[in-house]
Amino acid sequence: MGELEIIRAGFGAEAVDYQTAWDDQRARHTARVADLVPDTVILLEHPPVYTAGKRTEPMDRPFDGTPVVDVDRGGKITWHGPGQLVGYPIVRMPEGVYVVDFVRRVEQVIIEVCADLGLHTERVQGRSGVWIPGDGLRQDRKVAAIGLRFAKGVTMHGFALNCDNDLDWYHRIVPCGIRDAGVTTLSEELGCRVTIQEVLPLVERHLGLLTEPKGAATDRVRVRPVLIAKEPRP
């Protein structure tokens, strides 16, 4: 259809219940497979919820028995909630673009957003998501998680970018089943509060990467940016 629709579904007091969003994704996915709607990316915030992908191990789940929603995406367990920007692309993959290629494209969107903010991020071989590299004092830490489902050439589920969320939620689980790395936020790394509302237009600016022709921008490399001085967080 040649267009990309971006939907801001709900944030803050209007955060979208996870099950509601999942039902909406499935309906839109069916419509996109039938070419009834254009490619779409849904951007939203969820109330606190743990979701477990198909590869989640029992030992990865909350240690205190907190309920978990089991979903049909790839990957393992993660958390969604206030202060985290979630994006669900319902996109027909461009011709010649395969599963790994599309995951790289989603990563690239977040890498570009982080670079716009003055934060250098990377991919880690063998692990999806977007990472802050370790420096000898701190281990690698993930700022954005990615978990997708591919069916009939159309994607669903997506990415979760930590803006200014409470990291204590991750202490109850093994995030993405990874025990030798950490989780972080844009606010933590930049030393100032970075809100979803600040990040939204940056994400929207780069979402066109998802639908570009094969080879157009999948593995673009950013030069390490110069960090911009910001006011410290209160």
Side-chain angles (χ1 to χ4, degrees):
M1 289 189 171
E3 56 184 293
L4 179 65
E5 181 180 6
I6 299 173
I7 298 173
R8 293 189 178 189
F11 304 93
E14 298 179 351
V16 182
D17 173 76
Y18 186 84
Q19 187 65 52
T20 299
W22 191 12
D23 291 343
D24 182 52
Q25 283 188 72
R26 285 183 284 199
R28 291 180 185 277
H29 183 276
T30 298
R32 184 67 189 98
V33 169
D35 281 329
L36 299 176
V37 296
D39 290 326
T40 304
V41 180
I42 306 165
L43 299 173
L44 51 75
E45 188 176 17
H46 285 305
V49 61
Y50 292 106
T51 71
K54 293 180 287 186
R55 296 192 300 109
T56 301
E57 302 289 341
M59 66 284 294
D60 300 333
R61 292 173 179 266
F63 312 131
D64 60 359
T66 301
V68 175
V69 179
D70 290 285
V71 295
D72 57 355
R73 60 165 169 79
K76 296 193 175 186
I77 193 167
T78 193
W79 171 86
H80 300 308
Q84 182 191 74
L85 175 60
V86 176
Y88 295 129
I90 315 298
V91 170
R92 183 180 299 283
M93 289 191 290
E95 183 176 356
V97 172
Y98 301 106
V99 170
V100 173
D101 303 322
F102 195 84
V103 173
R104 297 289 88 83
R105 287 179 175 220
V106 176
E107 291 170 346
Q108 193 64 43
V109 169
I110 305 303
I111 289 171
E112 298 287 336
V113 169
C114 291
D116 289 343
L117 292 167
L119 179 65
H120 173 73
T121 55
E122 298 178 356
R123 300 180 177 94
V124 173
Q125 186 173 4
R127 293 176 171 174
S128 66
V130 176
W131 296 80
I132 313 297
D135 56 9
L137 297 176
R138 298 183 65 187
Q139 60 187 177
D140 290 348
R141 49 215 182 269
K142 182 184 286 189
V143 71
I146 295 171
L148 291 155
R149 172 176 165 80
F150 300 85
K152 300 181 180 179
V154 176
T155 69
M156 61 183 293
H157 296 290
F159 65 84
L161 175 59
N162 291 341
C163 297
D164 62 345
N165 47 287
D166 184 353
L167 293 175
D168 284 347
W169 289 97
Y170 291 101
H171 296 163
R172 303 181 189 179
I173 61 172
V174 179
C176 302
I178 297 172
R179 290 172 167 78
D180 61 347
V183 181
T184 190
T185 67
L186 294 173
S187 298
E188 179 75 18
E189 298 299 326
L190 291 169
C192 62
R193 189 180 182 207
V194 180
T195 67
I196 287 177
Q197 293 303 317
E198 292 175 76
V199 173
L200 263 173
L202 303 180
V203 171
E204 292 171 344
R205 181 187 306 166
H206 296 294
L207 286 174
L209 291 173
L210 302 181
T211 57
E212 288 187 350
K214 177 178 171 61
T218 305
D219 294 311
R220 184 179 300 163
V221 176
R222 293 289 300 240
V223 176
R224 182 184 291 267
V226 176
L227 295 181
I228 301 171
K230 296 177 179 287
E231 293 297 321
R233 284 188 294 172

